[in-house]
């Protein structure tokens, strides 16, 4: 009898172990996919196996880049004050680079195609300021650098967002091992993190999607050209309204915030300062991303919607831009393409409040009207290929 019981026990133990392992595996699957059952075969999706600890440097005072620049006219102390405080309450630091006035330029110093008599002089000054930053990146041998314009704004959860953006970037590039000192890697040219909009090549075959992202504004709240953004076929896979997509860019516009590697800075400076340029700096950089206009294509990656937007304080529009002037209209406070805007929450953040407010209230089911950034659970994305 005892012998029979021992024999049965030997059979039961392996079965129990197998059942337990299946339970653990299913728990991981259920945890990762949440309550949503996506309508396409999961064999086409994968989640990155990169360890969370590999992105710890993104929590430092340079957001995981080697340096952060901010461009602004020296006399716009109002913009410098606001951006400096906004960066501080979000936990990073900026190095200011002076904007360039048109009167500081000489025609003979401009690349072929730029003529101060035919192109908006302030746009030329903007171009030169960005070229000065790229020059500094190269001169200082920075491996990576983030560049912000003085009216840039971002979500209070920017560090959490950038961690998942970095994961998506590595997934798209097929990275097997991430350097903790360079959490975004250095094998790309341009990360167009902040802009008006972007577009993928119609033949692009892969993307990274973060569904039910609580920091994504609904379609009706986005300030973007409807013809831009992810491919229509991608929108059939994940809901466009609440999903942030990451992909290689064919086009983009506006330079609220972007990052370059050392090699990217060299390529862009060569193309836009040594060679010819006939367009505003963002359009010219877009040509490089798409390899159009006779340009050699560089590697550009974007999040859509963008992670860095632009801020307009309530009041007269002529105070907003130092490129376009003369607009006498008056507008309300605006933080483009952001939900938990740092600048709109600046008083709460400076006073040490635990929660921040959405600029759209309880409008979107995936975005609470009030959140504690320390408790916000940011979703894990999926690589579609």
């Amino acid at each position: 009898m005892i012998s029979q019981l021992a024999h049965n026990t030997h059979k039961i133990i392996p079965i129990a172990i197998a059942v337990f392992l299946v339970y653990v595996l299913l728990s991981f699957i259920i945890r990762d996919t949440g309550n949503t059952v996506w309508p396409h075969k999961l064999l086409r999706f994968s989640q990155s196996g990169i360890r969370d600890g590999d992105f710890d440097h993104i929590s430092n005072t340079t957001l995981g880049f080697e340096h952060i620049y901010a461009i602004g006219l020296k006399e716009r102390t109002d913009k410098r004050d606001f951006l400096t405080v906004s960066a501080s309450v979000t936990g990073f630091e900026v190095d200011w680079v002076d904007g360039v006035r048109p009167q500081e330029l000489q025609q003979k110093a401009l690349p072929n195609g730029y003529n101060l008599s035919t192109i908006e002089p302030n746009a030329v000054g903007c171009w030169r300021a960005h070229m000065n930053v790229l020059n500094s990146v190269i001169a200082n041998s920075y491996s990576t650098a983030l560049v912000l314009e003085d009216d840039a704004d971002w979500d209070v959860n920017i560090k959490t967002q950038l961690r998942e953006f970095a994961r998506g970037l590595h997934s798209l590039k097929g990275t097997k091992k991430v350097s903790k000192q360079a959490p975004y890697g250095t094998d790309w040219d341009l990360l167009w993190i902040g802009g008006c909009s972007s577009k993928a090549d119609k033949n692009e075959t892969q993307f990274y999607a973060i569904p039910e992202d609580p920091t994504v504004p609904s379609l009706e709240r986005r300030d973007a050209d409807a013809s831009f953004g992810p491919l229509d076929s991608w929108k059939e896979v994940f809901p466009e309204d609440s999903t942030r997509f990451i992909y290689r860019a064919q086009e983009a516009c506006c330079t609220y915030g972007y990052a370059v590697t050392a090699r990217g800075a060299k390529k862009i400076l060569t193309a836009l300062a040594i060679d010819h340029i006939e367009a505003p700096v963002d359009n010219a950089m877009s040509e490089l991303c798409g390899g159009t206009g006779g340009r050699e294509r560089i590697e550009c990656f974007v999040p859509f919607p963008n992670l860095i937007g632009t801020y307009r304080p309530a009041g007269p529009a002529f105070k907003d831009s130092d490129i376009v002037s003369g607009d006498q209209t008056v507008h309300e406070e605006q933080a483009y393409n952001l939900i938990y805007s740092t600048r709109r929450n600046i008083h709460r953040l400076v006073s040490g409040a635990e929660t921040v407010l959405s600029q759209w209230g309880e409008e979107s089911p995936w975005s609470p009207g009030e959140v504690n950034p320390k408790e916000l659970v940011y979703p894990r994305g999926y690589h579609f290929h």
Side-chain angles (χ1 to χ4, degrees), residues 270-289:
T270 299
L272 305 191
I274 297 176
D275 294 339
H276 71 282
I277 180 172
E278 299 178 357
V281 64
D282 60 333
N283 292 343
M285 288 169 59
S286 180
E287 289 182 352
L288 294 176
C289 290

Side-chain angles (χ1 to χ4, degrees), residues 200-221:
D201 184 276
K202 63 181 180 180
N203 296 317
E204 190 64 59
T205 59
Q206 62 171 340
F207 64 90
Y208 192 83
I210 308 170
E212 298 178 3
D213 182 337
T215 64
V216 166
S218 62
L219 291 174
E220 63 182 18
R221 295 299 187 184

Side-chain angles (χ1 to χ4, degrees), residues 52-66 68 91-92 159 162-163 166 178-184:
D52 289 342
D54 291 336
F55 303 120
D56 285 349
H57 266 53
I58 292 176
S59 296
N60 66 16
T61 56
T62 56
L63 300 178
F65 300 100
E66 193 166 355
I68 300 180
F92 66 92
K159 290 184 176 181
L162 285 173
R163 291 174 73 98
V178 177
S179 167
K180 290 186 177 181
Q181 286 67 43
Y184 306 95

Side-chain angles (χ1 to χ4, degrees), residues 150-161:
D150 60 6
D151 51 6
D153 193 8
W154 49 87
D155 195 287
V156 296
N157 304 285
I158 184 67
K159 290 184 176 181
T160 303
Q161 293 174 319

Side-chain angles (χ1 to χ4, degrees), residues 5-23:
L5 180 61
H7 178 70
N8 291 338
T9 301
H10 283 301
K11 286 184 177 181
I12 292 172
I13 290 177
I15 294 174
I17 293 174
V19 170
F20 175 75
L21 291 175
V22 170
Y23 169 78

Side-chain angles (χ1 to χ4, degrees), residues 63 68-72 79 83 92 94 96 126 130 145-154 158 190-198 222-225 252-259 281-283 285 303 305-312 320-323 334-338 343:
L63 300 178
I68 300 180
Y69 293 95
I71 300 174
K79 290 189 173 184
L83 189 141
F92 66 92
V94 299
W96 282 98
C126 177
H130 283 275
L146 176 65
V147 183
L148 301 173
E149 293 186 334
D150 60 6
D151 51 6
D153 193 8
W154 49 87
I158 184 67
L190 175 64
L191 303 181
W192 212 314
I193 300 170
C196 304
S197 197
S198 61
R222 298 180 194 176
D223 180 63
D225 187 331
C253 59
C254 304
T255 50
Y256 306 141
Y258 63 90
V281 64
D282 60 333
N283 292 343
M285 288 169 59
N306 48 277
L307 295 178
I308 297 175
T310 188
Y311 175 81
R312 301 286 184 262
D320 298 338
S321 174
D322 296 309
I323 297 178
Q334 302 167 342
Y336 291 92
N337 295 337
L338 301 173
R343 297 206 189 206

